[in-house]
């Protein structure tokens, strides 16, 4: 019997779906399973290993300067990959964003495979494809799951139109050490916020599920613990207690799985001594058996191959056999995949062929569900239109407005109302590439709006806008591997008279009514392989800021960043500080909307902002300890409190919290209390507030954090308007994983509840929890 997923197998319904942009499968689960199994029955072991292999295939613009400096095994290997395609031994390709290339390579895959199996195309659609949204940490700072979902739906629509079926996103790694550059890709320090953001992103990418038109597979990553790298050093080992793992690092993954994520990516590093990519407990017992994940697992790039490098696997055959047995369905490979050795591993009885079959089944099922057998090719003309859709830019602009966090606003310097002249200062103010941020490759620089352009466009008649960079861009001591892609390294002006440029900037500031400085990190200083040993403003930025402040002109500091930076001096000497993050394609326009008051800022910090690097990690959800009285003075040389607390963010208005009530003051474990709190806009303009709900368990079978976020809602209130919000506190919120009993527990205890606008909220009440009825 020959089982091809040929056009003949399609129905009219599938054809109708195709007309809408992408095909959704119309087969029942049983029908899919039957056909996939019949196909597997005809496949040879090399074909199976091929289906489980994903190759890099770079067709992105690369800079000539760095081409020569590339490591030999990082080169595209186009010929090798195309040969594998022609043998029908490629399951998936990554890093191709050109629809014409997708079609050409897809043809090779289908024609190469005796069974006509199409390839899945994956890509790091981290914060947009062509329309670049604010970086993920910024999206998290919006505390706006609906907006995040909308943003990732735009990213998915563009990706799918270009022929990409699968986003290697969201990154749901909790990050508590800002030295780790990948903090920019996640949702910060908190598992509750992290889980909410993870769910919103999975929904945005996938819609109602795999195969939804204009959507892609979501691949939450990197399971697990990657954010806790020793010393914040990317790729280095992670040692996490059971309590931290279950209570902090795993919840966003579980939430993403429960939201239906179709894929999970493994992590690079050793977790408690076992490489995450070879960890059967993590990838099978936790992910599949405990959480019920039924999608497919991909390794991080070369992570299976590198099981040998870790000193874990004896050789590539051993690495492949152990990874697939641990639960890695697909290997993301550069060259020399370990999974190419799977036939040999099967022959040597290192792994049963049925194990490969189970993985192939998951991969093929995803392909069928995504409609690949119905519609493997992409409509290039339609792709052009979708990528140019102005509605996408509108979503990006709103996302950037909503992610801005007003850290300080002494004397209500912001919003700017009618200054006659504005001095815009700092190289980042005029850099399109940095406005976009890291982890973007297919952007259009021409349509990117810088802060300088945004201010110029918005300032209007009669307002003079001057610009001076003041300093030259700072540079990394060690170059970034991402600099090899075109337009990725900072442009360092060849001619730059440092003293003259600095004087020019200071003079301009002195002669203007207000100075707007854009300071932070260049985008290649944050992201993967961008760990730092310091949090200082790189280059001469602090000196520039100090010189500008010394002119006496009021200063607005716009921070362009993906990690908290050392702003101790600014927090005392600069009246207005707005965190704009890397705001994306429409960033400058959105920033202008906020600083001129067309919209009020409403974002809140998704991490505790440390004063200095020596303090990290600093988190709001620490336990109380035996000596809480001087918890803010644990160091003799600096306060041990954060500079700005988790959840902090000011507004152009003022919010008051009142009437914190409970529908009952006593429950049994397993039952739910509903908390109500009224939020009033006590200011004079419409603005957004993120109401936050925290709990503290007073006593029990473990010491629990002094505060834990357990609810939040972003609302818009007109001046004088009030709204009463309700939050449930039930088993999901009250349970925690107990390291002594090694189980989830709900204690008999008293729970304090706090509501307010950040993690230091003071309005409080409490209820008791009796013996668990569960
Ligand atoms: C390595 C990164 O760790 C991962 O997040 C990314 O998806 C892959 N490279 C593919 O680019």
């Amino acid at each position: 019997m020959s089982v091809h997923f040929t056009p003949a197998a399609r129905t009219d319904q599938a054809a109708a779906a195709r007309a809408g942009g992408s095909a959704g499968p119309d087969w029942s689960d049983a029908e899919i399973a039957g056909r996939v199994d019949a196909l597997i029955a005809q496949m040879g072991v090399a074909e199976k290993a091929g289906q489980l292999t994903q190759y890099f295939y770079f067709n992105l613009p690369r800079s000539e300067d760095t081409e020569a400096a590339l490591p030999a095994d990082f080169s595209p290997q186009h010929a090798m990959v195309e040969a594998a395609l022609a043998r029908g031994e490629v399951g998936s390709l990554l890093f191709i964003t050109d629809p014409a290339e997708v079609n050409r390579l897809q043809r090779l895959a289908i024609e190469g495979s005796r069974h006509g199996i199409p390839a899945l195309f994956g890509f790091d659609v981290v914060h947009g494809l062509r329309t670049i949204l604010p970086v993920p940490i910024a999206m998290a700072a919006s505390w706006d799951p609906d907006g995040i979902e909308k943003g990732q739906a735009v990213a998915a629509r563009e990706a799918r139109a270009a022929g990409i079926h699968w986003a290697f996103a969201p990154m749901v790694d909790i990050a508590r050490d800002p030295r780790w550059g990948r903090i920019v890709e996640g949702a910060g320090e908190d598992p509750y916020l992290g889980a909410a953001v993870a769910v919103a992103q999975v929904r945005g990418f996938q819609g109602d599920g795999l195969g939804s038109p204009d959507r892609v597979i979501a691949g939450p990553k990197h399971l697990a613990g990657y954010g806790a790298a020793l010393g914040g050093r990317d790729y280095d080992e992670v040692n996490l207690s059971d309590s931290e793992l279950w209570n902090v690092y795993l919840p966003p993954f579980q939430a993403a799985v429960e939201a239906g994520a179709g894929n999970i990516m493994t992590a690079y590093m050793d977790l408690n001594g076992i490489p995450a990519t070879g960890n059967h407990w993590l990838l099978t017992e936790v992910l599949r058996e405990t959480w019920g994940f039924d999608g497919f697992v991909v390794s991080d790039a070369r992570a299976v191959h590198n099981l040998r490098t870790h000193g874990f696997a004896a050789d590539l055959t051993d690495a492949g056999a152990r990874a697939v047995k641990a639960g890695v369905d697909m290997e993301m490979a550069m060259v020399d995949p370990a999974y190419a050795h799977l036939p040999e591993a099967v022959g040597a009885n290192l792994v049963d062929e049925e194990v490969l079959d189970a993985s192939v089944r998951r991969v093929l099922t995803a392909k069928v569900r995504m409609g690949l057998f119905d519609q493997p090719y992409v409509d290039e003309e339609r792709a052009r239109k979708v990528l140019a859709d102005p509605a996408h830019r509108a979503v990006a602009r709103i996302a950037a407005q909503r992610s801005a966090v007003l850290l300080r606003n002494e004397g209500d310097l912001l919003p700017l109302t009618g200054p006659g002249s504005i001095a815009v200062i700092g190289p980042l103010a005029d850099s399109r590439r940095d406005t976009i941020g890291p982890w973007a490759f297919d952007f259009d620089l021409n349509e990117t709006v810088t802060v300088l352009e945004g201010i110029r466009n918005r300032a209007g008649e009669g307002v003079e806008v001057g610009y001076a960079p003041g300093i030259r861009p700072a540079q990394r001591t060690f170059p970034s591997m991402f600099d090899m892609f075109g337009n990725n390294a900072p442009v360092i002006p060849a001619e730059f008279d440092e003293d003259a440029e600095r004087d020019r900037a200071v003079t301009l500031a002195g002669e203007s009514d207000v100075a707007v400085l854009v300071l932070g990190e260049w985008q290649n200083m944050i992201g993967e392989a961008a760990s730092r040993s310091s949090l200082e403003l790189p280059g001469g930025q602090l000196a520039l800021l100090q010189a500008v402040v010394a002119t006496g002109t009021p200063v607005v500091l716009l921070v362009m960043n993906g990690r908290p930076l050392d702003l101790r001096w600014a927090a005392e000497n600069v009246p207005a500080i707005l965190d704009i993050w890397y705001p994306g394609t429409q960033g400058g326009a959105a920033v202008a909307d906020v600083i001129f008051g067309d919209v009020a800022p409403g974002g809140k910090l998704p991490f505790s902002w440390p004063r200095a690097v020596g303090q990290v990690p600093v988190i709001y959800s620490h336990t109380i300890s035996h000596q809480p009285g001087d918890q803010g003075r644990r160091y003799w040389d600096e306060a041990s409190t954060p500079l700005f607390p988790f959840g902090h963010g000011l507004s152009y208005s003022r919010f008051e919290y009142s009437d914190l009530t409970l529908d009952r003051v006593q429950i049994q474990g397993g039952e739910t209390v509903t908390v109500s709190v009224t939020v009033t806009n006590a200011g004079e303009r419409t603005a957004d507030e993120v109401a936050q709900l925290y709990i503290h368990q007073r006593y029990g079978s473990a010491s629990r954090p002094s505060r834990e976020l357990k609810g939040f809602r972003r609302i818009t209130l007109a001046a004088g308007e009030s709204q009463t919000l309700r939050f449930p506190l039930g088993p999901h919120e009250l349970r925690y994983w107990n390291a002594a009993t090694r189980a989830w527990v709900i204690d008999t205890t008293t729970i304090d509840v706090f509501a307010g606008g950040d993690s230091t909220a003071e309005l409080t009440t409490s209820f008791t929890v009796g013996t668990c009825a569960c």
Side-chain angles (χ1 to χ4, degrees), residues 6 49 110 121 128 155 171 188 214 273 440 442 453 546 609 676 717 729:
T6 59
I110 290 173
F121 286 76
M171 189 194 91
D214 290 333
D442 205 41
E453 288 164 331
Q546 290 172 333
W609 191 298
S676 305
L717 293 179
L729 289 177

Side-chain angles (χ1 to χ4, degrees), residues 56 94-95 124 168 182 221-222 265 268 300-301 332 528:
F56 274 85
L94 76 152
F95 255 80
D124 286 286
F168 307 133
R182 302 196 79 169
K221 63 189 186 183
H222 310 81
M265 186 186 290
Y268 275 134
D300 201 342
M332 185 186 287
E528 187 178 349

